[in-house]
Amino acid sequence: MKTRRRKEQRFATDINHQLSKTIVAQAQRTDRAIAKDLSGIRDQVRLAKKQRAQVHSWAYAQLRNFVTYKAEMAGVPAAVINPRNTSRTCSRCRFCDAKNRRSQAVFECQECGWTAHADHNAARNIAALGHENYWAAQSTVPIAATALAAS
């Protein structure tokens, strides 16, 4: 049993290294790596009984750590984005409503009428959030100065 467990660990680590290398290589072309926060993913996924052991034993934190350190070594900024409401928010007008998500595959904004594939819309929202977080982190304006300027 111990030998089998170690073999599975080495396999998962190898796959995570390969995935993180591919993600960082893709990010180098765009100068940015943005990842969805994978914490709690085991609770979000519904699977057949045969697939549960494979998904629930996967090292998501390890994958995130590999992407983070490889992106840092490559000089690519990496950000972890909270995916809350990204599939319900319109990537054009930013209107958020549960009714925007017609089905698992279709997104239709109730405000502006924009229609897109739901996953594509959510990916655009995650990219926009990552872009905002990146530029906020790059800002050289002190936070106190920003608060005083607003008042």
Side-chain angles (χ1 to χ4, degrees):
M1 293 284 280
K2 208 181 249 187
T3 307
R4 173 78 176 180
R5 187 184 73 223
R6 288 183 184 148
K7 183 176 181 179
E8 287 178 9
Q9 280 180 331
R10 287 192 308 272
F11 174 76
T13 301
D14 183 51
I15 294 296
N16 279 341
H17 270 296
Q18 290 176 26
L19 283 171
S20 62
K21 184 178 176 182
T22 304
I23 290 168
V24 171
Q26 179 76 20
Q28 279 184 307
R29 286 181 277 233
T30 61
D31 293 330
R32 126 178 7 116
I34 300 167
K36 173 182 166 180
D37 185 11
L38 296 175
S39 59
I41 196 161
R42 288 177 179 89
D43 300 329
Q44 299 170 5
V45 178
R46 292 183 187 169
L47 298 167
K49 193 170 186 176
K50 293 178 182 178
Q51 297 171 319
R52 287 182 196 153
Q54 184 179 9
V55 170
H56 292 307
S57 65
W58 201 262
Y60 295 107
Q62 183 187 58
L63 176 61
R64 179 176 160 185
N65 290 336
F66 287 171
V67 169
T68 303
Y69 95 79
K70 288 180 183 189
E72 189 176 297
M73 285 177 48
V76 177
V80 177
I81 304 300
N82 183 355
R84 184 172 178 86
N85 290 329
T86 55
S87 62
R88 296 176 174 186
T89 304
C90 179
S91 60
R92 292 243 172 122
C93 71
R94 299 284 184 228
F95 177 71
C96 182
D97 191 4
K99 293 177 185 174
N100 285 346
R101 190 77 184 256
R102 290 273 188 206
S103 68
Q104 185 68 25
V106 179
F107 176 89
E108 184 178 344
C109 181
Q110 301 299 304
E111 188 76 12
C112 70
W114 188 65
T115 304
H117 190 279
D119 290 339
H120 182 255
N121 181 68
R124 286 174 51 135
N125 285 327
I126 290 171
L129 288 171
H131 190 70
E132 290 168 12
N133 289 353
Y134 173 74
W135 286 110
Q138 300 301 316
S139 176
T140 57
V141 179
I143 294 170
T146 308
L148 290 175
S151 49

